[in-house]
């Protein structure tokens, strides 16, 4: 099951990168970057912000993927050992 989630995440990253790559030159120089409670744009930024958001998306994915494979390195309330790992970590799939 974990491989399905990982494949879906990687697919989403690839699609996001392709959307930015193929549409970057077609959008205006400024894009809306913040919206108020009514859904109206109240702040604008450079279209290069899209690359920053893509980098953040990739960085978050890499961090989650890394710590899901090494839960003992994550900041948890209790120390993760081989004895309690099955209870603390949500899935019981073996780690590489």
């Amino acid at each position: 099951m974990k491989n399905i989630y990982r494949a879906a995440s990687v697919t989403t990253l690839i699609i996001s990168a392709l959307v930015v790559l193929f549409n970057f030159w077609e959008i205006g120089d400024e894009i809306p970057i913040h919206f108020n409670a009514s859904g109206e744009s109240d702040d604008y930024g450079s279209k290069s912000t899209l690359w920053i958001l893509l980098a953040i998306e990739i960085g978050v994915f890499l961090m989650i993927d890394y710590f899901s494979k090494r839960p003992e390195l994550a900041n948890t309330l209790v120390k993760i050992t081989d004895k309690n790992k099955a209870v603390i970590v949500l899935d019981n799939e073996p780690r590489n």
Side-chain angles (χ1 to χ4, degrees):
M1 187 67 131
K2 183 173 179 155
N3 289 333
I4 293 171
Y5 293 136
R6 189 170 197 278
S9 297
V10 170
T11 302
T12 303
L13 286 172
I14 291 170
I15 291 171
S16 296
L18 291 175
V19 167
V20 171
L21 181 66
F22 289 124
N23 294 309
F24 188 75
W25 302 111
E26 296 178 17
I27 60 176
D29 289 336
E30 286 190 340
I31 58 170
I33 60 172
H34 190 268
F35 298 88
N36 61 20
S38 301
E40 300 166 346
S41 177
D42 60 2
D43 196 10
Y44 293 87
S46 170
K47 68 180 180 180
S48 62
T49 305
L50 295 173
W51 294 113
I52 296 168
L53 292 174
L54 183 62
I56 291 170
E57 183 180 357
I58 292 169
V60 168
F61 167 76
L62 291 174
M63 286 190 316
I64 290 172
D65 189 55
Y66 179 80
F67 285 115
S68 70
K69 292 178 182 173
R70 294 160 190 84
E72 64 277 357
L73 299 178
N75 187 13
T76 58
L77 296 175
V78 295
K79 183 176 178 166
I80 298 176
T81 63
D82 289 335
K83 188 175 182 179
N84 67 6
K85 187 183 244 184
V87 176
I88 296 173
V89 180
L90 295 178
D91 61 6
N92 292 330
E93 295 180 9
R95 307 282 188 238
N96 292 336

